[in-house]
Amino acid sequence: MKNGPFAGASTKQQKRRPVEKKRLSAGYTMNNNVKFIRGGAAYFNRMLQMIDEAKHSVHLQTYIFDDDGTGSLVADALKNAAKRGVKVYMMPDGYASKVLSRPFIRELRLAGVYFRFFEPLVRSKYFYFGRRLHHKIIVTDTRYAMVGGLNITERYNDRPGYKAWLDFAVWVEGEIVKELCTLCWKTWKGFPAKTGALPCEQEYLQAPSIPGASSRVRMRINDWVRNKHEISRSYIEMLETAQSHVVILCSYFLPGETFRKKLSLAAKRGIKIKIILAGLSDIKLAKYAERYIYDWLLRNDIAIYEYQGNVLHGKVSVCDTTWLTIGSYNINNISAHASIELNLDVHDENFAAGVEKVFEDIIEKECIHVTRAMLVQKRSLLKRFIWWCSYQTVKGLIYLFTFYFRKKN
């Protein structure tokens, strides 16, 4: 794989400096099993299985939870788990999931589900001000967890005649699950300085051992309120320490100045960089803004591929067929500075190779390669102006993103 399509232009593979080795190994749990989950039916089937098999606890936290067909499937599974004595904690974001009706929430609570909207720092009777809960995670029995970019709504699920949005998650069991359980509890409790005794440790001790687990996994969080920028640092580490290539699959790709500088420096030292972006976006303004920076990417010898299936919503990046980061984090200022984001970094060469193979297939079968000639041919002066206006507008949205009107419940 390292000599395959994603291999870098430079054939020299220098040994990593000690400081790089230290950075790349910091914070990892050692004994984990991992599975790469492509979104759609595979993701929701795995989620429903986790809930149905839970014996002690379920934590589900997400940005969007709709009371549509897919949301009802998940909600019914949560209610059934609560009725059989499982402690079920459900927390959607207070803004993105404000469409949830009172009867829908009441039925969850009557079934025994502990339900709470995530609320940011400052709130009144009429509005919120703060950050949004953007991560997507489910943890069951402090034994299994799944982290990714998928919300719980119809457009992320495969249905007859409908292809789900392209998104991904990682399923894990092992040491990392205890940390993820603790994160869920802290989020549920509002991140107090002291959370007291948590059930995670006891549940984890009850879980059977998993011989042969070998994947190294670390939890990465971005949360400006708690001064955590771990996912941003993972991406910077990836670009600074790459030896041959980096593959980025991202929706809403609008990197800030620091990230663009690191991209440019990596490309200049011979790192082959490929970026898989949306061809069709649910937010046209964001897509127009993305296309404004295509010129810059191509000038820096960064390859661009636009996905031609449905909407691309995934957030995954792989480095050197060695390690990857996956989760809810988009490469833009809103994810970097305004939302609570959750990723997992997975250091496992076999796992990374499998993910790269998935990306190779997507590029070959479902993408178009955006070249400079194509861009010049399709770009008019008017389009260029629209893209520039969109880029400037999106840059300013971070200041509005933390303010929204409150839903009564």
Side-chain angles (χ1 to χ4, degrees), residues 126-300:
Y126 303 106
F127 67 86
Y128 297 150
F129 180 78
R131 76 269 207 238
R132 299 182 186 179
L133 182 70
H134 194 244
H135 68 223
K136 294 91 175 172
I137 179 175
I138 180 170
V139 179
T140 58
D141 294 343
T142 319
R143 182 178 180 184
Y144 306 115
M146 196 159 54
V147 172
L150 289 88
N151 293 294
I152 299 175
T153 181
E154 290 279 73
R155 55 188 176 271
Y156 295 87
N157 201 0
D158 295 309
R159 290 171 279 136
Y162 178 85
K163 184 178 181 180
W165 287 11
L166 182 65
D167 213 328
F168 301 95
V170 59
W171 174 92
V172 293
E173 67 171 334
E175 292 181 22
I176 191 63
V177 182
K178 184 170 62 173
E179 294 186 16
L180 293 169
C181 173
T182 299
L183 172 67
C184 287
W185 269 113
K186 288 182 176 179
T187 309
W188 178 263
K189 291 174 176 289
F191 299 98
K194 294 182 179 180
T195 56
L198 298 176
C200 304
E201 182 71 30
Q202 186 60 37
E203 284 189 357
Y204 176 73
L205 291 174
Q206 294 176 10
S209 60
I210 44 174
S214 59
S215 298
R216 292 191 289 155
V217 185
R218 65 179 175 181
M219 181 176 70
R220 306 296 273 173
I221 301 167
N222 261 48
D223 184 350
W224 65 271
V225 170
R226 295 187 292 142
N227 196 31
K228 288 185 175 291
H229 307 283
E230 297 167 352
I231 309 174
S232 301
R233 290 202 301 271
S234 284
Y235 272 97
I236 297 303
E237 285 181 20
M238 189 169 282
L239 294 172
E240 288 183 341
T241 62
Q243 301 294 295
S244 63
H245 65 279
V246 173
V247 190
I248 298 171
L249 182 145
C250 182
S251 56
Y252 321 122
F253 180 78
L254 287 167
E257 291 184 10
T258 299
F259 193 88
R260 285 175 64 167
K261 181 179 179 180
K262 297 298 182 182
L263 276 172
S264 177
L265 290 173
K268 285 178 180 177
R269 62 186 176 86
I271 304 304
K272 189 173 184 179
I273 302 173
K274 294 187 177 185
I275 303 180
I276 306 170
L277 300 174
L280 171 68
S281 177
D282 60 315
I283 305 175
K284 288 186 177 180
L285 185 70
K287 187 64 240 181
Y288 292 156
E290 272 186 353
R291 288 188 173 134
Y292 176 71
I293 66 170
Y294 278 13
D295 270 335
W296 181 88
L297 292 170
L298 293 173
R299 286 199 307 270
N300 283 274

Side-chain angles (χ1 to χ4, degrees), residues 87-120:
K87 298 291 185 182
V88 179
Y89 302 88
M90 174 179 165
M91 176 177 276
D93 181 72
Y95 168 78
S97 299
K98 61 185 177 182
V99 298
L100 288 179
S101 66
R102 290 183 180 180
F104 188 86
I105 296 171
R106 183 168 59 250
E107 288 182 10
L108 285 165
R109 287 173 169 161
L110 287 173
V113 174
Y114 297 97
F115 179 94
R116 178 181 299 170
F117 279 117
F118 176 83
E119 297 182 350

Side-chain angles (χ1 to χ4, degrees), residues 9-130:
S10 173
T11 58
K12 294 182 179 180
Q13 298 295 318
Q14 299 177 353
K15 293 182 179 179
R16 298 190 189 278
R17 297 187 297 271
V19 64
E20 292 176 349
K21 288 183 178 179
K22 183 176 180 180
R23 290 168 66 187
L24 290 172
S25 63
Y28 280 93
T29 58
M30 304 304 293
N31 299 309
N32 304 280
N33 280 331
V34 294
K35 292 182 181 178
F36 190 59
I37 308 292
R38 182 161 177 164
Y43 175 81
F44 287 103
N45 289 342
R46 179 61 62 101
M47 176 179 285
L48 293 173
Q49 179 185 4
M50 291 171 67
I51 297 170
D52 290 343
E53 294 178 355
K55 295 179 174 59
H56 307 293
S57 66
V58 175
H59 288 272
L60 176 61
Q61 297 179 358
T62 188
Y63 184 55
I64 299 173
F65 196 115
D66 281 346
D67 54 358
D68 53 18
T70 297
S72 295
L73 278 175
V74 176
D76 288 345
L78 294 173
K79 288 185 284 189
N80 289 335
K83 288 175 182 178
R84 66 175 186 267
V86 177
K87 298 291 185 182
V88 179
Y89 302 88
M90 174 179 165
M91 176 177 276
D93 181 72
Y95 168 78
S97 299
K98 61 185 177 182
V99 298
L100 288 179
S101 66
R102 290 183 180 180
F104 188 86
I105 296 171
R106 183 168 59 250
E107 288 182 10
L108 285 165
R109 287 173 169 161
L110 287 173
V113 174
Y114 297 97
F115 179 94
R116 178 181 299 170
F117 279 117
F118 176 83
E119 297 182 350
L121 288 177
V122 180
R123 57 186 182 271
S124 77
K125 183 178 179 181
Y126 303 106
F127 67 86
Y128 297 150
F129 180 78

